[in-house]
Each structure stands twice: as C-alpha cells, then as structure tokens.
Amino acid sequence: MEGRRTLSGLQYKVEDNPTWITTVFLAFQHYLMLLSSNLATPGLVAITICAQGDVEVASILLGNMLFACGICTVIQFFFGVRLPIVQCPQYAYVVPAIVLTSFDEWKCPDISVASSNASNVVISNFTLGNFTDINDQPYWQQRLNMITGSLMVASVFEIILGASGILTILLRFIGPLTVAPTIMMMGLGVLQPGYELAGSHWGIAFGTMAMIVMLSECIPKFNVSLPCHIILTAKQEACTKKQIHKKTEIVAHKMFSVIISVSVMWLLCYILTITDVFPDGEDVYGYHARTDVRDKQLKTAPWFSFPYPGKFGMPTFNSGLLIAFIGGVFTSTIESIGDYYTCARIAGAVPPPPSAVNRGILIEGIDCIIAASVGAGFGVTSCSQNIGAISLTKVGSRRVVLVAGILMMIFGCFNKFSTLMVTIPDPIVGASFIVLFGTDHERGILSWRELTKEHLDDKENFSLRTYDLPFGMSKIKSWSWARYIPFSPTFKEDKCGPCTKSKGIESIGEEVDMILSDNCGHV
C-alpha cells in the first residue's frame, strides 16, 4: 500500500470523487490545457479548407473543436476505456491534409480574383471533381465537407479494429518496449510547435515553466493551523466544531499548478502590454507576448454557435484523403494504446485488460465520426497533454474528466468565452505545452508491468472493476455469450495476470476474493 502511494503520489485516484467545487476547478484546468495546446489546430484546419487568415472561420472552427472534444470525452467516459482520458485533436489527421495542399490539384484557387470577374463565375474544384458555383456555397465549406466525408469512412476502420478483437492478438506482441519509443517519438514531434511558440519570448516562457514545475514538484504539501478543514484539503469537505484548530493539509498549489502559473504570467503579460514594455511591431521579437494580439478575433467571434451534423452541407468523399486518413487511424490507435497504459499507471489503476483497450479504440472510432460530423475537420484521440496534467496535479479522478468534457461542450457553444482563452500569449502556451509533454508519462509505459506486480500487495485495488461500464453490469455478467465479444467487460481474455491462480483466493465468501473471481477470467 505504502509503496504504491509513493509511486503515484496521488491526491485522488480513478474512482475517487473530489468535492464539486474542487472538481470544477480541476476540470477547468483540463479544459485550459486542451485549449492552450491546440490553439493552432483551427488555423491548421483553415489552411486545409482554403480559409487561411479568415478570423471568422477560425472562430467557428475553434467552437466546433471544443464541442467535438467535449462530447467525445463524455462518450469515452461512459462507454469507452473508463480512464480519466480527455479526447483531443489528432494531428495525424490534419498534417496529411495540409501536405496534400502542396500538390497542384489540391492547391487553393484564388477565389477573390475569380469572383471579381463575374458574379456567376464557376471555379473548377479539382478536389471534388466537378464545377461548383461559388455563390451557392462558400468554397471552404466544400473542402470541409470533403474532409468530413473522407474522415467518416476512414473512422470505420478504427471501429473495426476495436470491435473485431484484432487488437487482442496484437497486444500479445505490443509490449512496453514497442509502445514507449512510438509515444516518445510522437511526443518529440509534437513538441516543435511548443518550442516555436515559446521562442516568441523566452523570458515569459521560462518564467511559466519554472512556476509550473515549482508548484507541482518542488513546493511540498504543508500543514497550517486553520479554524477548520476547508476545501483546499485533499479529502475533507466540511467544517465542524470538532475540527476547530486542527491542522489543514494544503495541496492546492499542486492540484492547480497550471491554472495558477498561467493566470499569474497572463496578468504579468497584460501589465507589460499596457505599459508598452512589449513592442507593438509584428515582426519585432516579443510582440507575440502581448495580450492584445488577437483582439480582432475576440471582437468578431459570435456569442453563441451550436455545432450540429450537416450545418455546412452534406459530406462528400475523396479517395486521396481516405488513404491519408487511414494512415492516421493506425497512428492514432498505437498512440491511444500507449496512453491507456500510461494513464492507468499515473491514475493509480491496474493496466487495462484487452476488453477495455478494444472498447476504447471502438469508441474513439465513433468519436471521430461525431467530431467530423459537427465540422471539426479532424479526428480525435487520447490526449497526452491532459495525461501529463494528471501527473503534475496528482489528481486522477474520473469525475474531473467528465466535468471537463461538459465544460468543453458548453464553451464550444459560447464562442466568445473560448475566444477569450485564445488571447493567452504564445510564450505561455508554448511553455505549458513543453512542460506537459516533458512529464514522466513515457516512463509510465515502461513501468506498467511493475505496477501490476505492485498491486499483488494491494488486494483492495487489485480489481478490474475500474473498467466496468457504469450501468448494466449485472445483466451483462448473466449473458454467457458476452464472454466472446472482444469489447465486453466480461470478455474471456480479460485476466489480472497472477490473480487467476493466486494463492490469496482461499475464501470465496470474502468480498475481496469475490471481486477477484468476478474479474479474472470470468469462469
């Protein structure tokens, strides 16, 4: 028990529930991390749909992105792998579309020049393979519909991977030494945008990184004498007379290290902006540390916009994009498998069984279809940045991620508030990005086998119930045929390793032993 707590250092494990006030703040931190690490995503999607530089389109795409990530996170929470994992944009779907725009047949036409010649001019849309009246539908919507349709078809392959049980066979050959280098290389590749953003002002960037690391890792928990226990403690909620003058454990600086650091440095940048310390020339070093760089986008963003399928027209299809997106599906699948094991290790859970992995990939495929249908312009995957946030804040509660998904959906509809978050200066965003990808989540992949061994000494947590569905489990266990469904919680291949033959299972009447027998082998 003590060894496990030392390894994770968690304030809340997967199935723990913080107070609601604490939960909302922690959820907002996850929302802030997803938004700050994906600020460039709407701009990248705008490039692929020939709307680069269009502030209004970028605002719409930002709202669609948040709404898609929110609803996909909620679906993954209830029906997927059941770990505290946020769904976020997968760059493996965005980058191929950007690369294709460099080819002649995919280049964006000069619509402004063409439309100035005649009001009824038509443009040859090589990517769609036909002629389209520019006054009938904006060109960027046509390109977005093409991405939507192609991504929906490609996502079917991910659904097949999860539902068929193919991953169960592959997991026998995909071990830590296979997944860890893959995730590490992906992380190093994604770090490039972080360095570019941080490079706009290294002073602000280093200040942000130093504050996050100090709050989360260097400053220890400490006790103070207060009239009673308050919500800043790890567990206690209320104040009673019996608790008067007892010491209170303060851990807020660890749980909210990212929010505190970003808020302080954002305020500092605002002060330096209004005092004209930062230059106002766009090409001058330090300009992007100003807080008024994106004021135009904030003013033009709509107050409310509800994303829904078919809002921009019917999806179309392109075989070239389909092939590119299928490659993204396999990349996303490998990354998600690594994220599942990493998140389980950091959040204090046993490694996910094959059924949970299959179910997670199956739901991610469905999530990609949902994200594409609401006009996000990309597929989703497990968010490594938010797993890094769990490592920093020491909060692995599943309920926090659920509330974070709901917040994303709400803020995705209220575009003005989300666009306000876009005004966070680039060096602060880049610094947060670097720190979150620099956590020990890659080491977690290499440690998941050690964690399994560690759970042998902790029978209280030695259970696969973490991965059970939140409802209907008694009914599912009564279905003998469900044992042969690869994504069923009672899948016959699900075993807790040594516990299937453990000598500790001696008294079937004991509750712990009943838990082990229910989850190990399902015999």
Side-chain angles (χ1 to χ4, degrees), residues 300-319:
T300 58
W303 281 99
F304 182 83
S305 177
F306 182 75
Y308 58 87
K311 184 176 183 178
F312 305 113
M314 290 297 295
T316 56
F317 175 80
N318 183 272
S319 57

Side-chain angles (χ1 to χ4, degrees), residues 4 8-20 22-23 26 84 230-237 251 255-256 346-348 390 393-400:
R4 190 193 60 78
S8 59
L10 290 174
Q11 299 300 324
Y12 297 99
K13 294 182 291 185
V14 176
E15 300 183 61
D16 293 339
N17 294 321
T19 63
W20 279 109
T22 306
T23 297
L26 291 169
I230 59 176
I231 60 171
L232 295 180
T233 64
K235 300 295 180 185
Q236 289 81 3
E237 303 180 13
V251 294
M255 292 193 295
F256 306 112
I346 293 177
I390 295 175
T393 61
K394 308 299 185 291
V395 177
S397 173
R398 195 161 47 194
R399 186 168 76 174
V400 171

Side-chain angles (χ1 to χ4, degrees), residues 442-513:
E442 283 88 6
R443 285 183 290 157
I445 301 173
L446 294 173
S447 303
W448 71 270
R449 285 182 177 172
E450 179 183 349
L451 180 68
T452 304
K453 180 180 181 296
E454 189 175 303
H455 274 279
L456 290 174
D457 300 325
D458 186 5
K459 294 183 180 180
E460 179 184 353
N461 296 281
F462 194 20
S463 169
L464 293 181
R465 281 192 172 180
T466 299
Y467 303 99
D468 285 353
L469 296 177
F471 43 78
M473 281 304 302
S474 59
K475 192 67 175 177
I476 294 176
K477 289 180 179 180
S478 67
W479 297 335
S480 58
W481 51 268
R483 296 173 53 202
Y484 302 96
I485 299 179
F487 53 88
S488 169
T490 58
F491 185 44
K492 63 179 182 179
E493 295 292 332
D494 287 358
K495 296 179 181 180
C496 304
C499 78
T500 54
K501 301 295 184 180
S502 174
K503 296 181 181 180
I505 304 180
E506 297 175 352
S507 176
I508 303 299
E510 296 183 5
E511 180 180 359
V512 173
D513 294 333

Side-chain angles (χ1 to χ4, degrees), residues 101-228:
T101 58
S102 62
F103 295 95
D104 292 336
E105 63 270 21
W106 290 81
K107 286 183 178 179
C108 299
D110 193 348
I111 297 179
S112 59
V113 175
S115 59
S116 63
N117 296 331
S119 59
N120 60 348
V121 70
V122 294
I123 296 177
S124 177
N125 185 355
F126 294 101
T127 57
L128 294 178
N130 57 16
F131 291 91
T132 304
D133 191 341
I134 188 174
N135 294 320
D136 182 41
Q137 187 182 35
Y139 186 73
W140 67 269
Q141 293 186 11
Q142 301 172 30
R143 295 281 289 249
L144 182 60
N145 290 333
M146 179 185 61
I147 292 175
T148 298
S150 304
L151 183 56
M152 283 181 170
V153 177
S155 300
V156 175
F157 288 86
E158 189 167 13
I159 294 175
I160 294 174
L161 283 176
S164 63
I166 296 177
L167 293 177
T168 304
I169 301 175
L170 296 179
L171 284 175
R172 299 173 183 174
F173 306 98
I174 300 178
L177 295 179
T178 305
V179 178
T182 303
I183 301 298
M184 182 182 66
M185 295 305 298
M186 290 178 184
L188 292 175
V190 177
L191 273 177
Q192 182 178 353
Y195 288 122
E196 292 176 353
L197 292 173
S200 59
H201 196 292
W202 282 110
I204 298 296
F206 279 127
T208 305
M209 288 187 284
M211 186 172 293
I212 293 177
V213 173
M214 285 180 58
L215 291 175
S216 63
E217 303 296 337
C218 299
I219 301 179
K221 296 181 291 184
F222 56 91
N223 297 324
V224 296
S225 296
L226 295 175
C228 63

Side-chain angles (χ1 to χ4, degrees), residues 10 24 70 80 94 208 274 302 308 313 386 409:
L10 290 174
V24 171
V94 180
T208 305
I274 61 177
Y308 58 87
N386 290 80
M409 294 173 61

